[in-house]
Amino acid sequence: MDRRIEKSRQAIMDAFTKLMLEKDFEKITINEIAELANVNRGTVYSHYVDIFDLLNQCIENHLNKLFENCQPRGNDSSISGKDALCKTFNYLEQNAFFYSKMLMSKSITAFRNRLHALMVKSVEEQLDMNGITTDGNREIMVQYFASATIGVIEWWITNSMPYSSEYMAEQLLSLMERYQNVTAPLTRS
């Protein structure tokens, strides 16, 4: 992609993100985005269909970065579950303003839905990578872990991160391990 196009897209995305931190999504206009990004309205529309398209691409961009920064690459099983969770909480802490705004906004359900889909994918990959199988319904187990993890992340961010990212990773991992030990539905293949 042409550098100028990429630079314009990034400026628009940055301006939009900055405005999202300052005000509710419904009150942001394309004119404000263009002005802050130092581009004209037409440039915004040449990259995004409308403000909802910009929102969706912004969400996708942030969640892809979260996933890329926090997941092991390929068959790299040297990263433990705790390390992956620590990386996740560290990334969330570094980008707390964005994730806080997204999680606390009642009108932006697209973010929560995409986060949930990403978490489901992550849980499934962790189960596959670690060779974990279940005697019960795998789909229900994946949904349970994904929803519980999102709930813990949401609580942590919306309560101003009262514990360190390392502590949160340890606690979440401990809860997951206890679930396995208490219910015993998981066994190594």
Side-chain angles (χ1 to χ4, degrees), residues 13-26 28 51 55 58-59 97-98 101-102 105 108:
M13 188 82 64
D14 291 345
F16 179 64
T17 301
K18 185 173 192 283
L19 288 168
M20 291 273 305
L21 300 176
E22 296 172 0
K23 60 199 310 187
D24 290 334
F25 169 72
E26 299 82 15
I28 298 173
I51 198 161
L55 172 65
C58 184
I59 289 170
F97 289 121
F98 175 79
K101 184 68 172 184
M102 291 291 107
S105 176
I108 306 178

Side-chain angles (χ1 to χ4, degrees), residues 79-140:
I79 296 178
S80 69
K82 180 182 175 186
D83 290 340
L85 281 172
C86 274
K87 288 176 77 173
T88 300
F89 278 101
N90 283 328
Y91 181 84
L92 291 169
E93 188 172 37
Q94 292 166 3
N95 296 278
F97 289 121
F98 175 79
Y99 288 98
S100 174
K101 184 68 172 184
M102 291 291 107
L103 288 168
M104 294 196 308
S105 176
K106 301 296 182 212
S107 61
I108 306 178
T109 57
F111 175 77
R112 204 165 207 301
N113 293 341
R114 279 293 296 130
L115 181 60
H116 185 265
L118 182 69
M119 193 60 64
V120 165
K121 181 180 178 184
S122 178
V123 169
E124 288 174 336
E125 286 179 2
Q126 286 295 315
L127 292 175
D128 292 342
M129 190 169 42
N130 292 312
I132 297 172
T133 59
T134 178
D135 295 334
N137 187 313
R138 179 183 167 108
E139 184 178 13
I140 292 172

Side-chain angles (χ1 to χ4, degrees), residues 63 66 85 88-89 92 99 103 111-123 142-158 168 172 176:
L63 291 178
L66 171 67
L85 281 172
T88 300
F89 278 101
L92 291 169
Y99 288 98
L103 288 168
F111 175 77
R112 204 165 207 301
N113 293 341
R114 279 293 296 130
L115 181 60
H116 185 265
L118 182 69
M119 193 60 64
V120 165
K121 181 180 178 184
S122 178
V123 169
V142 167
Q143 291 296 322
Y144 172 81
F145 280 127
S147 297
T149 301
I150 290 170
V152 169
I153 288 170
E154 186 172 11
W155 170 85
W156 183 65
I157 289 175
T158 58
M168 291 302 297
L172 192 55
M176 289 178 181

Side-chain angles (χ1 to χ4, degrees), residues 71-77 125 129:
Q71 293 301 313
R73 303 285 190 266
N75 292 333
D76 183 7
S77 59
E125 286 179 2
M129 190 169 42

Side-chain angles (χ1 to χ4, degrees), residues 4 23 39 41 53 63-64 68 112-113 130 139 141 156 162 167:
R4 290 172 294 165
K23 60 199 310 187
V39 298
R41 270 177 66 99
D53 181 38
L63 291 178
N64 284 338
E68 289 168 9
R112 204 165 207 301
N113 293 341
N130 292 312
E139 184 178 13
M141 182 184 67
W156 183 65
Y167 182 79

